[in-house]
Amino acid sequence: MKLIYSTLLLMLVTCVSVAQKKEAVSDVQYRRSSLHRILLESESFPKKDAVMDSYNSAPFPEKYNNHEIAEKSFNPLDYLLTNEEKAANSEPKTGFGNMASGIAKNAKEGIVDSLANDMPLIISKYFKENNIANKLVAKWYDRKTDGSFGMNLICERGYYNASEMEANIAKGSARGTSVLADAGVELIKNTFVAVSKMNFVSNEPIAASIREVALASANEMSIPMVRKKAIDVANKIYEKTKEGYLVMTTSYLYQLDWNESIENTFYNDLYMDQSNIDIAKVDAFDKSDLFQMKYIGKEHSNNLVTFSLKENRTEEQVINLATVRNVDKVYAKLQKKYDVFKTKTPLYSGFPITAKIGMKEGLEGGEKFEVFEQVLDSKTGLTKYVSKGNISVETDKVWDNRFIATSETDSEKSEINVTSFKGGKNFYSGMLIRQIK
């Protein structure tokens, strides 16, 4: 424990020096979850290059810290499961490291392709063979080429108070070491990887199949006028829907496994700064299986795009719009389904009650949110969140903050630039809200 305390003390001093250099910011300082995104290199499909370009150039979700590392895509065919691996993961408490025991059950649900049943295990195999969890931890601790670690990123994202830390260090308070424990819970533990698979399916074959069935049914009608009307309707529907694509996105969500035991082992056995380089620790970190990813779950989103309904846009712009909005939609569904992935958002104003979230986050009106106040616990020196009530989204006052295609003009954008809420009182700008079921 003395070694851990000494290590943390040195790291806190680093935080102090970084915090002293940090300039004041005008926006609300709150701790966000961190996200890394990976794209599955799937089989060829229509307009694949345009889809991939749209995905790679899409804005990063602003409610998360950008925790991206070099590994941003892979081909699942390179990580197919052996029969032994499938058998090993058919029972709980076995398999790759610390994967959730329910992974095999979740994997059996299937989505749209032949690899869907095994995909969560395939992704976990990729994580293990490429040390993805280790690399995420290395980014948190500013790992250098010599293998040494630092605290700049943790200090920056944790918004630590320099003077308070200095005081705690000077008097040897337990609050000094508890600050990094706080960072572990709020920052490092809330590190996620979203692995997405995308596909575009041409509408024409689907529309043609629907028309074929409709025409067969129409030709069985005995009344000529009714038969002709039914045939006309089938043909019109075909002409209206044959152009464009069905956009499909499936995202698999994983979380970095981080707890007190892992944290202590890291500080004791693997952590070192530039003043104390140990080659053995460099090698130990690179080969360590201490860090693992936990499978949380998956969501999928479909979006039908018909070019005939999208005036004044090129085909590339339509693909760009559909791709980015579909990814935003699947992230919003993951947030609603899994509490651990939900984001906090500051109130923009307390009267009226508004916030800078909207349709991109899946809001339609009527959704409920809990309001929190950030306070400093006088006993522990740590940040805690005190519930101050609930609010709900006003139906007719939802901000359309979805991705805008480059061809759209300012006049086409919504005049509303915040979402309004109702319910509760005595709220103020900077309080945090989080959606509840």
Side-chain angles (χ1 to χ4, degrees):
M1 290 303 295
K2 287 183 178 180
L3 177 58
I4 294 175
Y5 181 80
S6 299
T7 302
L8 296 182
L9 189 63
L10 179 60
M11 296 163 85
L12 286 174
V13 172
T14 305
C15 278
V16 170
S17 64
V18 172
Q20 287 175 333
K21 295 177 182 178
K22 184 175 179 64
E23 296 179 359
V25 292
S26 57
D27 58 334
V28 178
Q29 296 182 340
Y30 68 102
R31 295 170 188 169
R32 306 166 188 245
S33 295
S34 296
L35 179 65
H36 172 48
R37 302 172 300 174
I38 294 178
L39 185 63
L40 291 176
E41 299 170 6
S42 56
E43 66 280 356
S44 179
F45 54 85
K47 303 297 180 181
K48 180 176 180 179
D49 290 342
V51 174
M52 299 299 99
D53 288 344
S54 296
Y55 175 88
N56 290 323
S57 62
F60 191 88
E62 67 274 10
K63 296 297 188 298
Y64 295 91
N65 289 321
N66 186 331
H67 205 76
E68 296 199 331
I69 56 178
E71 289 75 4
K72 295 185 177 181
S73 65
F74 73 94
N75 190 337
L77 295 178
D78 295 334
Y79 298 90
L80 296 179
L81 304 177
T82 65
N83 291 333
E84 291 76 10
E85 288 169 339
K86 289 182 180 181
N89 284 279
S90 64
E91 297 294 334
K93 301 181 182 179
T94 61
F96 304 107
N98 296 323
M99 285 191 297
S101 61
I103 189 170
K105 178 181 178 181
N106 289 327
K108 292 178 181 177
E109 294 177 6
I111 306 173
V112 293
D113 62 82
S114 60
L115 295 181
N117 290 343
D118 293 334
M119 193 61 73
L121 296 172
I122 289 173
I123 295 171
S124 293
K125 181 177 181 178
Y126 163 78
F127 286 159
K128 180 178 177 64
E129 292 188 9
N130 291 273
N131 293 325
I132 298 301
N134 296 49
K135 292 173 182 176
L136 294 172
V137 173
K139 179 162 184 172
W140 268 117
Y141 287 95
D142 301 315
R143 196 179 192 222
K144 310 296 190 298
T145 54
D146 61 8
S148 64
F149 298 98
M151 289 297 295
N152 289 352
L153 188 60
I154 288 179
C155 291
E156 176 186 335
R157 292 182 179 175
Y159 301 109
Y160 292 113
N161 184 288
S163 59
E164 182 181 341
M165 277 194 273
E166 286 178 319
N168 286 332
I169 292 170
K171 64 186 180 183
S173 170
R175 295 179 186 178
T177 55
S178 65
V179 169
L180 285 185
D182 183 45
V185 171
E186 277 217 66
L187 296 175
I188 302 174
K189 184 176 182 179
N190 291 320
T191 303
F192 298 91
V193 178
V195 182
S196 298
K197 177 179 173 60
M198 302 195 66
N199 205 345
F200 263 39
V201 177
S202 176
N203 290 345
E204 202 282 329
I206 300 174
S209 296
I210 294 174
R211 182 178 64 169
E212 184 177 344
V213 173
L215 290 177
S217 177
N219 287 324
E220 293 179 356
M221 297 177 179
S222 57
I223 303 176
M225 184 177 297
V226 175
R227 182 170 61 250
K228 182 178 183 303
K229 181 67 174 177
I231 291 174
D232 289 344
V233 169
N235 286 328
K236 286 180 180 179
I237 292 176
Y238 168 77
E239 292 297 328
K240 186 177 181 179
T241 61
K242 70 177 181 178
E243 295 182 345
Y245 305 93
L246 174 66
V247 188
M248 299 185 294
T249 304
T250 301
S251 289
Y252 302 85
L253 182 64
Y254 293 77
Q255 182 182 16
L256 179 66
D257 192 4
W258 188 265
N259 55 42
E260 185 177 354
S261 175
I262 294 171
E263 186 175 80
N264 289 342
T265 301
F266 169 69
Y267 293 146
N268 262 331
D269 300 341
L270 302 173
Y271 184 87
M272 63 178 183
D273 62 24
Q274 286 186 311
S275 67
N276 188 28
I277 301 297
D278 184 341
I279 300 301
K281 285 189 174 182
V282 175
D283 187 60
F285 180 85
D286 290 335
K287 296 179 178 178
S288 175
D289 61 357
L290 176 65
F291 313 109
Q292 302 288 337
M293 303 301 299
K294 298 186 297 184
Y295 177 59
I296 302 300
K298 70 178 187 299
E299 273 294 338
H300 40 272
S301 175
N302 299 330
N303 188 20
L304 185 65
V305 180
T306 55
F307 297 129
S308 59
L309 302 179
K310 306 291 183 180
E311 299 178 358
N312 302 321
R313 296 194 189 121
T314 65
E315 184 176 5
E316 288 72 21
Q317 288 169 336
V318 172
I319 290 173
N320 188 32
L321 181 68
T323 300
V324 176
R325 287 190 175 183
N326 212 40
V327 172
D328 286 340
K329 184 177 178 181
V330 80
Y331 282 178
K333 293 176 75 172
L334 284 169
Q335 291 165 7
K336 286 185 177 182
K337 187 172 183 178
Y338 303 106
D339 288 343
V340 69
F341 194 55
K342 286 181 178 177
T343 60
K344 297 185 183 74
T345 301
L347 285 181
Y348 185 72
S349 62
F351 185 78
I353 308 170
T354 63
K356 290 280 190 178
I357 53 175
M359 294 183 185
K360 185 175 74 173
E361 289 78 20
L363 299 186
E364 297 177 350
E367 294 86 358
K368 294 182 179 180
F369 285 74
E370 189 170 8
V371 183
F372 296 93
E373 185 176 41
Q374 292 185 96
V375 298
L376 187 66
D377 191 318
S378 59
K379 294 182 179 179
T380 65
L382 305 180
T383 301
K384 66 178 182 179
Y385 301 90
V386 179
S387 178
K388 292 295 182 178
N390 296 333
I391 55 178
S392 59
V393 178
E394 292 199 52
T395 302
D396 299 326
K397 296 182 179 180
V398 179
W399 178 27
D400 186 355
N401 61 337
R402 293 173 297 178
F403 177 77
I404 302 296
T406 55
S407 64
E408 290 180 302
T409 64
D410 290 337
S411 62
E412 293 176 302
K413 298 179 183 178
S414 171
E415 294 181 358
I416 300 175
N417 63 357
V418 293
T419 290
S420 297
F421 299 79
K422 60 183 179 180
K425 58 182 179 179
N426 299 324
F427 300 139
Y428 58 86
S429 174
M431 298 182 83
L432 298 175
I433 63 173
R434 185 176 61 191
Q435 190 170 354
I436 55 179
K437 295 179 180 179

